Amino acid sequence: MGDQVGQAIALTDLGFHHGRLGDHGHALDLCEQALVLHQKLGNRPHEAHTWSCLADTHLQLGNPAGAVPCYRQALDLFRELGDPYAEASTLAHLGACHHLAGDHAAAHEHWRHAHALLADLDPSTIDQIHTQLTTIGTSAADAFRRHR
């Protein structure tokens, strides 16, 4: 079982890096393989991160609509796990998806909730999430920062 856990984590990591290198098809395939293993093993924290990686890859492909259901899966898991930073980051990314799709009301609601969660964390987390969002779109990142 230990080998399967390591394999699943490695698949997620490889998927993440292939996505960053622009090999999106391979990234999606690797993350989907990882997801199956994480779910089989009941590895909820890594399953959440794999859903997030899948969503990020959809965004890199210019497909915010494809990213939304993946971010929602990740969000449910991060909430279940009690990880407020990951929950806030995922909400911010969901907001960016809606912003890019032109649904500014939904984006604002996700960002408002993210900022409320971040209020109880280190103030620099807003800057960290802003930096993450710049990889999606500068306009989304700046809009997130303005919705404090």
Side-chain angles (χ1 to χ4, degrees):
M1 184 194 254
D3 290 339
Q4 286 184 323
V5 170
Q7 180 183 7
I9 292 168
L11 286 168
T12 300
D13 290 346
L14 284 169
F16 173 84
H17 291 293
H18 275 276
R20 294 294 185 257
L21 292 171
D23 187 2
H24 300 110
H26 198 201
L28 290 171
D29 182 53
L30 290 165
C31 287
E32 288 167 1
Q33 289 177 51
L35 194 57
V36 169
L37 280 173
H38 288 309
Q39 289 171 335
K40 175 183 164 190
L41 298 167
N43 192 345
R44 307 293 274 172
H46 286 285
E47 179 185 345
H49 287 287
T50 303
W51 278 114
S52 187
C53 184
L54 279 168
D56 292 346
T57 303
H58 281 289
L59 277 177
Q60 292 162 10
L61 286 166
N63 180 15
V68 168
C70 297
Y71 279 133
R72 289 191 192 282
Q73 289 290 329
L75 181 62
D76 289 345
L77 288 167
F78 288 133
R79 283 180 174 156
E80 177 186 309
L81 295 166
D83 185 340
Y85 173 80
E87 181 180 346
S89 176
T90 305
L91 283 164
H93 282 78
L94 273 168
C97 290
H98 289 292
H99 177 80
L100 293 171
D103 187 349
H104 300 290
H108 176 75
E109 184 57 28
H110 287 301
W111 289 336
R112 183 195 62 73
H113 192 184
H115 283 287
L117 287 168
L118 293 169
D120 294 332
L121 302 175
D122 182 337
S124 69
T125 56
I126 289 177
D127 294 331
Q128 291 169 10
I129 292 174
H130 176 264
T131 300
Q132 291 172 7
L133 293 178
T134 60
T135 65
I136 297 170
T138 305
S139 68
D142 291 342
F144 167 73
R145 184 170 266 160
R146 284 193 306 270
H147 281 90
R148 286 187 185 198

